[in-house]
Amino acid sequence: KEYNYCLIYSYGVHEEIYSFKDKILDLENIILSIKNRYDDKIKIIIKKHPQEKDNIVKILEKKYKDFVFVSELNSIILSINCSFAIGIGTTGGLFTPHFLKKTALNYYRNYDNYYNYLSSKKIKFCIVENNIQTAKNLTSLKKFINHATNL
């Protein structure tokens, strides 16, 4: 059975490529865009990245009580049952819903920083960006959310 929730794959803070401030802004943009579009028809479940050490997602769960929930469930189970999925940063977890043929989006506004980081590591491209639909700004994020599901 499919449930009415957006699964957000969170990402750890990495000062070179994804700051604390950017992470908060991206998560809030996603949450508010979904709330604005779907009202109470859909909830949000956030799956923390295994190496995520900050408590941003727990703060957002309290701030958006009854709308945002943090889950420790297995990524496959969460992906199977979601309406659609959004990953922040360049999280590889987004491949799970992608391979399950779920509507999925990678939302990351700072690819320039990431390209510089990849280049310094002699990596030629971002595997997430090359395989999963990507939004690099708020307008593209909202466009995706507006058409992500028929609720």
Side-chain angles (χ1 to χ4, degrees), residues 61-97:
E61 183 180 42
K62 286 179 185 162
K63 182 175 180 178
Y64 298 101
K65 191 174 79 170
D66 300 327
F67 184 66
V68 174
F69 306 90
V70 176
S71 179
E72 300 296 327
L73 283 176
N74 177 286
S75 296
I76 296 171
I77 293 169
L78 290 169
S79 294
I80 287 170
N81 294 313
C82 74
S83 301
F84 62 97
I86 300 174
I88 61 169
T90 58
T91 182
L94 200 53
F95 279 105
T96 305

Side-chain angles (χ1 to χ4, degrees), residues 1-5 80-84 102 149:
K1 177 183 177 188
E2 187 173 284
Y3 297 91
N4 292 336
Y5 66 86
I80 287 170
N81 294 313
C82 74
S83 301
F84 62 97
K102 296 289 185 168
T149 189

